[in-house]
Structures are given as C-alpha cells and as structure tokens.
Amino acid sequence: MSMVNAFSREDFERLDETERALIARREKVLGPAYRLFYEKPLHLVRGEGVFLYDSAGEKYLDAYNNVASLGHCHPRVVEAITKQTAILNTHTRYLHESIVEYAETLTATFPNTLSQVMFTCTGSEANDLAYRIARFVTGGTGIIATELAYHGLTSAVAEFSPSLGESVTLGPHVRTVPAPDSYRHSSEEMMEKFGRDVRAAIADLKRHGIKPAMLITDTIFSSDGIFAEPKGFLKPAVDAIHEAGGLFIADEVQPGFGRTGETMWGFERHGVAPDMVTIGKPMGNGYPMAGIVLRPDVIAEFGPRARYFNTFGGNPVAAAAGKAVLDSIRIEGLQQNALEVGDYLMDGLRSLSHPAIGDVRGSGLFIGVEIVGDVTKRPDPALTTRIVNGLRDRRILISASGPHANVLKIRPPLIFSRENATMLVDELTVLMKTICSEANRLGK
Ligand SMILES: Cc1ncc(COP(=O)(O)O)c(C=O)c1O
C-alpha cells in the first residue's frame, strides 16, 4: 500500500530543473524511506497564520496542518520559546516552576480523574510508553487497533500501526477491527457495530492464549477516513476492553487541543473515560512535544519500579511553548472558532451538492469529504487525487485519507476564518466544474 497523496517518481521528469536537483540531492543524502506530498512537491520557505509561501513567493492557504494548529509562527509561541531559550534549557531532573505550572494547566483541561502527565517528544514515544504501562498494569500483551490506524514509528508501535502498509508486519499479539464507517452504516448500527467488532477481537486474542492489554483508537479515526458521528459509538468498545481487563488508550495526537470544536479532547464527545490519553502534534505548535495524561492509579506501581526520564521531554522551553499554546487556545477562543468555522465549512462543502461528493462529515475543523464514483458509494481514489492536486495548483492545501484513499482530509489551523473557508469552497467549486466539463468533453 503506497502512502496516500505521495509524490511518485513517475512524475519526476515533469518537474522543473531546480526541483529535480533538490529531490535528487535529498534522495542521495536522506535515503529511500522518506516521502513527499503531492504530484508536484511543494518547496516551502515561510509560514504566517493560515498561509504558507513557497520558494517562488507563491502564497498557499493551508487547510491541512494540524501541528501549527494556532497558525504558522504564532507570535505568542515564538516569543515564549525565544525568551526561555535565552534563559535556561535543562531537563526534568532539576526543579523548575514552569513544567509544574504547565502540567497543572494541561491536566486542568481533562476530566478530574486524568490528573497526571508524563512528557515525551513525539506521539510515537507517548504511544510506546502507554503500551509499556498497559502491559505492566494488565499483565497482558494483546492490542486492538483499527484497520488503518497510525499510532507511530517505534518497533512496538509500528506493530499496531496498519496504515504503514502491508510490508510493515503487524504483531502476532495485534488484532485490527474496521473503523466505524458512518457513511455505510446507519446510526443504530454504528452504536453497536464497533463494540461488537472489538468483542470479537478480544475473543480471538483469548482463543490464541493472548491476554488483552489495550484497545487504542484515534478518537476521530484520522487515517481510517474520519468518523465523528454518532457521538457515543466508542462507548460499547471501551466497555468491552474494560470487561476483559484491558485498558483504553485514547490517541488524541490528531483530534486533541480543541480541534473537534465541541470539546477540548475527542474522547469527551463520546462520553468515555480513557485510562490513558496520548497527545502530541499541536501541543507546542511546532515545538516537538508530546505526552501521556493518565489516572494516578494506572501509573502508581509502574512509576516507582520503572524510573522515567526523557532527556528533552518536558524541558523548560517545551513547557513555555506548551503553556503559550494553551493560553492562545483560551485567549483567542480557538475551540469555539473551530466549532463555528468547522460547521460553516461543512455547510459550504455540502452546498456543493456534486454527485461525486458522497459525504461530508467531521467535527469542528476536522473534516472528511468522501469522493465516490456513483450512487453505489463506490470509492473514487483517482478523482480524489485529482482534487487534492487540483486544489494544490489553486494554492489550497489539503490531503486525503481512508482505506481507499478517497476521503478528502481537511484539517486547517484553528484560526481558520469564514473567509478562508469560503475561499476553499469557492476554489473547490470551480475545480469540480472544470473536472466535470473535461470529463464531458472526453465522453467519460
Ligand atoms: C494518531 C496519531 N498518533 C500518533 C502519531 C505519532 O506521532 P509522532 O509523529 O509525533 O511520533 C501520529 C502521527 O502522525 C498520529 O497521527
């Protein structure tokens, strides 16, 4: 399985000389594992707010970046990082006010039971640590994840990240379940199906002599195709893993920090109580930060036995960046903005009423648009690729997701305005008309 929206070497000759030269140098020194986005890769040199600028000075509306969630180069975060870098940057083995203050502010955004936090630098490390803790607490090793989940890159986590593709082997202790597909199942089925599938996976683990340790889901199913509704569909699955003695890990690396609009954390929309929550990406608005927020009893025995140290995780600069992010979300009302502009954008996308747009779904500023070939809901990945690259040519950046690579993934910074949303919808409208008239001309 190739990466969705990846640059293909087949398009190399179509690029101009400067791009070809940079790609060749990059391949020579970075090796073969890296991928680039888009048929015509972007060479970005600057970002400001919702806009990115390429090496030719062209301006792009960024409707995809969820790391620079407050907008690129947010002044409050830049200032916080700059100031603290000039004063002190050590680690968590020295006393420092700011990490404690940041941890207090962060945990206050969670339900009361989730009152402790451990800092890492990446979401992968957070999920790796969550799995170590889950194994310790439950005495099991079994993991249940969704069919196209991505949770990270360490050896342990890659084994439960099926979206890495067929050549990255899943662990023998891993079972995958289909993500709950709200486009192809009714709300009633959705409320019941995911729980049933997780129960079946638990039974299968047990049958193979494997004790379940955890169920882990991205609570908006970003790489599985973006599924947000109906609220509550996660609950039966969480109940199932708890009944089996396992833990529920909510991976909030993508939906967290207010993006889904209604709530600060995606799991809250489903009314479930995770044992651990992993966070990352937008946590430092570009400064590498991640972590696990958990119930004290989950770590009570592991902590004293397995000391925890992460050289860079939770350093004073990270604490300053993280605090500036939380302050900005609050001061600028970004969660509310995500809700309002997200609804406005979804309404705009629905109003396109184009036959290829099968479904518009999501929550806040995490939106999926399913592109289909006909009324049978047949996925149309080729058209999806044309739309993603067509928008890129029109200076709007989005990507795609889902098992058939046919879901437009729209995930702009939380400062996205109605004007930005209108621009996206207008450009998509023109693009769809162009694609249609071309198809008519070719008699397709
Ligand atoms: C849902 C989810 N979890 C975990 C990760 C891993 O985070 P990182 O790339 O910071 O290791 C990602 C990264 O894309 C992710 O999307």
Side-chain angles (χ1 to χ4, degrees):
M1 191 196 324
S2 62
M3 188 184 94
V4 179
N5 188 26
F7 165 69
S8 157
R9 246 318 189 145
E10 285 167 22
D11 293 320
F12 186 74
E13 293 308 325
R14 286 202 261 150
L15 304 180
D16 71 32
E17 209 183 313
T18 330
E19 291 160 339
R20 288 205 309 262
L22 188 56
I23 290 174
R25 267 176 64 205
R26 189 183 132 104
E27 285 175 350
K28 191 165 175 220
V29 71
L30 299 185
Y34 284 87
R35 302 288 183 275
L36 287 161
F37 274 152
Y38 302 111
E39 285 171 359
K40 189 176 180 329
L42 268 173
H43 180 172
L44 298 171
V45 293
R46 189 167 76 80
E48 189 181 344
V50 291
F51 294 105
L52 286 165
Y53 298 82
D54 73 10
S55 53
E58 293 288 351
K59 181 176 172 182
Y60 296 80
L61 177 67
D62 186 358
Y64 190 62
N65 248 291
N66 70 337
V67 171
S69 194
L70 313 177
H72 294 277
C73 306
H74 190 282
R76 193 175 289 110
V77 182
V78 172
E79 197 195 335
I81 291 173
T82 315
K83 261 193 180 164
Q84 188 57 46
T85 308
I87 300 172
L88 174 76
N89 200 14
T90 50
H91 52 70
T92 48
R93 281 190 171 154
Y94 298 107
L95 276 174
H96 201 277
E97 277 280 339
S98 67
I99 193 62
V100 178
E101 191 194 335
Y102 173 55
E104 287 166 352
T105 315
L106 177 66
T107 51
T109 67
F110 282 84
N112 289 342
T113 48
L114 294 162
S115 60
Q116 292 185 343
V117 54
M118 294 165 81
F119 293 106
T120 63
C121 303
T122 68
S124 303
E125 277 180 286
N127 283 326
D128 195 278
L129 180 61
Y131 180 48
R132 271 180 71 202
I133 298 170
R135 275 196 328 215
F136 181 90
V137 171
T138 63
T141 55
I143 302 171
I144 300 155
T146 51
E147 264 174 2
L148 208 69
Y150 181 68
H151 295 294
L153 53 64
T154 70
S155 304
V157 180
E159 288 194 343
F160 58 93
S161 291
S163 84
L164 284 171
E166 273 147 28
S167 32
V168 179
T169 316
L170 296 182
H173 55 293
V174 174
R175 296 294 179 276
T176 61
V177 288
D181 182 342
S182 54
Y183 181 43
R184 291 173 181 80
H185 294 109
S186 68
S187 288
E188 295 75 50
E189 284 172 307
M190 285 285 288
M191 290 305 287
E192 185 264 332
K193 185 176 181 306
F194 192 54
R196 184 162 26 95
D197 289 343
V198 168
R199 273 181 203 280
I202 292 169
D204 191 56
L205 280 172
K206 287 186 176 163
R207 214 174 137 214
H208 289 84
I210 301 166
K211 193 170 177 208
M214 67 184 204
L215 163 70
I216 181 164
T217 72
D218 167 337
T219 60
I220 194 131
F221 301 89
S222 321
S223 49
D224 279 289
I226 306 161
F227 299 107
E229 300 287 347
K231 289 192 241 333
F233 71 69
L234 270 178
K235 178 117 187 11
V238 175
D239 291 345
I241 192 71
H242 282 156
E243 280 166 33
L247 304 185
F248 171 55
I249 314 322
D251 183 333
E252 294 285 340
V253 167
Q254 295 248 7
F257 288 94
R259 174 162 292 280
T260 59
E262 289 166 9
T263 53
M264 183 74 162
W265 307 104
F267 69 83
E268 293 176 285
R269 298 182 61 254
H270 287 282
V272 293
D275 303 285
M276 290 186 262
V277 180
T278 51
I279 56 180
K281 285 193 193 279
M283 194 168 171
N285 206 53
Y287 191 91
M289 301 180 66
I292 306 184
V293 178
L294 35 60
R295 282 205 324 268
D297 61 291
V298 170
I299 192 72
E301 286 192 33
F302 178 92
R305 284 182 211 192
R307 69 163 187 274
Y308 180 69
F309 178 60
N310 188 315
T311 304
F312 301 112
N315 71 57
V317 177
K323 179 77 169 38
V325 168
L326 288 179
D327 288 348
S328 303
I329 293 174
R330 183 177 41 81
I331 294 165
E332 296 173 33
L334 294 184
Q335 185 184 319
Q336 185 62 22
N337 189 64
L339 181 65
E340 286 171 16
V341 177
D343 283 347
Y344 177 79
L345 178 52
M346 278 194 273
D347 285 347
L349 292 164
R350 285 187 186 115
S351 73
L352 250 74
S353 59
H354 188 284
I357 296 185
D359 193 27
V360 176
R361 56 181 180 249
S363 181
L365 282 171
F366 214 131
I367 299 171
V369 179
E370 182 134 356
I371 304 298
V372 290
D374 51 35
V375 287
T376 64
K377 303 186 177 179
R378 179 175 51 80
D380 194 337
L383 179 56
T384 312
T385 302
R386 281 196 69 187
I387 296 172
V388 170
N389 285 286
L391 280 178
R392 178 242 178 271
D393 292 342
R394 292 175 171 276
R395 318 268 182 266
I396 310 257
L397 305 182
I398 64 161
S399 193
S401 134
H404 307 286
N406 73 312
V407 180
L408 302 178
K409 190 171 175 184
I410 302 175
R411 202 187 45 181
L414 305 187
I415 53 167
F416 218 57
S417 65
R418 282 175 181 247
E419 194 192 346
N420 301 145
T422 304
M423 186 174 168
L424 194 162
V425 173
D426 288 351
E427 290 295 340
L428 184 59
T429 309
V430 178
L431 177 67
M432 295 306 276
K433 277 193 189 136
T434 317
I435 292 175
C436 270
S437 50
E438 262 174 40
N440 288 341
R441 210 178 54 239
L442 298 168
K444 283 188 185 166

